[in-house]
């Protein structure tokens, strides 16, 4: 199943949360925080400007990004939970 975001929206797959603490203690699901990092898996065509033109997005498929803790809307596509958010909710791209 595929999803194609519209305009300036981006679909993100969250990265796996840490299951162990810095001291090596295994954490249960209830004690782990949802990560604020993810991988872009789909992007829209771009933001529509007031003059009617479209500005392409700064992120592309495959980018690893940082976003706010409460950014986006979580959607379930098949068995997978994904985030759909506007490009402006992304704080930055993680570069190696």
């Amino acid at each position: 199943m595929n999803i194609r975001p519209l305009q300036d929206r981006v679909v993100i797959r969250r990265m796996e949360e840490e299951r162990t603490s810095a001291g090596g203690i295994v954490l249960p699901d209830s004690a782990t925080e949802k990560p604020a990092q993810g991988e872009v898996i789909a992007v829209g065509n771009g933001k529509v400007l007031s003059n009617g033109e479209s500005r392409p997005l700064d992120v592309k498929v495959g980018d690893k990004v940082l976003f706010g803790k409460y950014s986006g809307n979580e959607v379930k596509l098949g068995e997978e939970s994904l985030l759909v958010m506007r490009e402006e909710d992304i704080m930055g791209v993680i570069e190696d």
Side-chain angles (χ1 to χ4, degrees):
M1 194 177 310
N2 289 332
I3 184 169
R4 183 176 55 91
L6 301 177
Q7 296 182 0
D8 64 335
R9 288 183 177 80
V10 179
V11 180
I12 296 175
R13 177 182 298 123
R14 279 190 200 269
M15 293 186 163
E16 293 293 320
E17 59 263 4
E18 287 293 322
R19 298 282 183 189
T20 57
S21 70
I25 298 171
V26 177
L27 302 170
D29 287 340
S30 60
T32 59
E33 283 193 25
K34 289 187 176 181
Q37 297 181 26
E39 180 182 358
V40 176
I41 61 169
V43 296
N45 292 331
K47 183 172 180 94
V48 178
L49 304 173
S50 59
N51 64 4
E53 293 182 17
S54 182
R55 180 188 61 82
L57 301 181
D58 291 330
V59 296
K60 62 187 179 309
V61 173
D63 280 350
K64 302 230 181 317
V65 295
L66 291 172
F67 48 87
K69 189 174 187 176
Y70 300 107
S71 297
N73 294 311
E74 196 162 324
V75 295
K76 194 156 181 115
L77 204 61
E79 294 296 316
E80 189 171 29
S81 288
L82 302 170
L83 283 173
V84 178
M85 66 180 68
R86 292 192 178 274
E87 182 190 35
E88 63 193 27
D89 292 333
I90 296 172
M91 294 187 279
V93 176
I94 300 170
E95 297 178 344
D96 293 332

